[in-house]
Amino acid sequence: LSSCVSLAADPSFAAQRPETRRAIAANCRAQAEWGISHRVETAEAHAARAAWHVEEGDAQAVLAALEASRAAAPMDYRLASWRLALALRALTWEQLAARARDYLDREMRVFVASAAGVRAAGALYVEAPEVRPAMDRIADELTDRERARFLAAVRAAARG
């Protein structure tokens, strides 16, 4: 299932032919639903369901599946990055911030607070002004050390 999610979250996936995307997403959904029906509920299974819902154009179902994935693995940076990519295939930053502010805040916390994600968070802060309010709220709650690391990542991203 990790392969399904990483493939669907990759920006190049959106450039594939629609029938190819639908076929891959349907395969991923079948695997995810089998796991869930057999009580093997993993964060990846829910994220794979989200990938299917992206292809269906059902943004609300995407968010519900991503929330279930996040609940199963709330601090997994790799999954958080894939989930965010899937969310952004279904919604713009503005829509995501308006419709799922709590979800966005929780996912961005993983980026800002993790050593691996802080560089990505810094780059996002510089490149996507619409995400700044969420990141500012999160930065206000960080420890002094975490905040300093995040600000250093923002400065590094701004310098290029």
Side-chain angles (χ1 to χ4, degrees):
L1 287 171
S2 291
S3 295
C4 284
V5 178
S6 69
L7 177 63
D10 190 285
S12 66
F13 187 71
Q16 298 294 320
R17 294 186 330 241
E19 59 272 13
T20 301
R21 288 193 323 267
R22 281 192 298 274
I24 292 170
N27 182 354
C28 293
R29 181 183 186 183
Q31 291 178 52
E33 288 182 348
W34 183 92
I36 291 168
S37 71
H38 287 82
R39 300 211 184 276
V40 184
E41 284 195 58
T42 64
E44 289 86 353
H46 293 294
R49 282 184 33 246
W52 168 259
H53 294 306
V54 167
E55 293 307 316
E56 290 180 324
D58 187 346
Q60 202 56 41
V62 169
L63 291 174
L66 293 177
E67 279 286 5
S69 175
R70 198 203 61 72
M75 296 304 291
D76 184 323
Y77 166 71
R78 175 188 53 106
L79 264 172
S81 66
W82 291 342
R83 288 190 300 252
L84 191 56
L86 289 169
L88 290 171
R89 286 195 51 224
L91 300 161
T92 66
W93 277 110
E94 293 85 1
Q95 291 169 326
L96 190 57
R99 291 176 65 181
R101 178 178 163 176
D102 291 341
Y103 169 78
L104 181 60
D105 284 2
R106 287 188 300 270
E107 290 291 43
M108 294 313 299
R109 174 169 293 290
V110 175
F111 283 84
V112 172
S114 80
V118 74
R119 286 183 300 279
L124 273 173
Y125 194 91
V126 170
E127 295 168 13
E130 56 276 4
V131 78
R132 290 178 189 162
M135 295 180 92
D136 288 342
R137 284 190 302 276
I138 293 162
D140 287 343
E141 298 171 9
L142 296 174
T143 65
D144 290 342
R145 183 173 173 228
E146 290 171 329
R147 189 177 306 110
R149 188 175 61 200
F150 172 62
L151 292 173
V154 170
R155 285 186 203 106
R159 285 191 303 269

